[in-house]
Amino acid sequence: MSKSCDECGLCCKLMGVRALDKPPSKWCVHFRRASGCGVYEDRPKDCRVFSCLWLLADNRLGDEWKPSVAGFLMHTNPDGALIVECDASNPQAWRKEPYHTRLRQSADSGQEVLVFVGRKGVQIQPFGGETPIRRRVE
């Protein structure tokens, strides 16, 4: 069974879209809460190619990991780091269970895990601890 964004749209808030001059952490002007993207058929390439990890993970991430449920979305960067993008309205969502344990396990297994709320964030250190980081402006 394939997953669907349905009413979620958290990427439409948290992710920046250069083609639309849409900054991160602001709702896209084309997003409609009840129906999703208002320009879906003509959306820019940045939007077409993006999929959060919940959509891509098939059965590996249950419904509790859907961004609209979890309060954050996950994706990877080109280096393979796991990026957790938290909504500023719920910046500690990733610390709740089952999320915190699973993110820590990813860090313990050697994957770089970066958690951001806007430009501020933390890198989860393997086997305990967190290091404060700031997102680079591109």
Side-chain angles (χ1 to χ4, degrees):
M1 186 165 132
S2 105
K3 295 178 178 179
S4 171
C5 299
D6 295 324
E7 80 298 335
C8 179
L10 197 55
C11 61
C12 299
K13 178 180 183 184
L14 298 181
M15 306 303 290
V17 181
R18 287 185 185 164
L20 297 173
D21 291 325
K22 187 209 124 5
S25 302
K26 304 284 183 197
W27 279 107
C28 179
V29 298
H30 300 293
F31 180 74
R32 306 291 178 260
R33 286 200 189 273
S35 58
C37 180
V39 295
Y40 187 80
E41 293 302 320
D42 297 316
R43 68 194 186 282
K45 182 180 178 187
D46 291 351
C47 299
R48 287 181 186 277
V49 299
F50 180 81
S51 289
C52 71
L53 287 180
W54 178 78
L55 280 174
L56 298 173
D58 297 327
N59 296 331
R60 291 171 286 170
L61 294 175
D63 290 342
E64 71 276 12
W65 289 85
K66 186 173 186 174
S68 58
V69 174
F72 58 84
L73 66 83
M74 299 183 299
H75 61 98
T76 56
N77 71 11
D79 297 327
L82 175 61
I83 310 296
V84 180
E85 305 277 358
C86 292
D87 191 348
S89 68
N90 193 2
Q92 301 297 314
W94 68 278
R95 292 188 185 276
K96 296 175 183 168
E97 293 301 337
Y99 316 120
H100 189 257
T101 296
R102 191 103 173 252
L103 294 171
R104 177 139 312 281
Q105 288 170 343
S106 292
D108 292 349
S109 71
Q111 183 169 28
E112 185 176 26
V113 180
L114 308 173
V115 180
F116 289 102
V117 179
R119 292 190 58 212
K120 294 180 181 180
V122 295
Q123 179 180 25
I124 300 175
Q125 296 300 319
F127 307 106
E130 299 165 5
T131 303
I133 57 173
R134 289 193 60 82
R135 187 188 310 262
R136 288 174 265 168
V137 179
E138 297 177 17

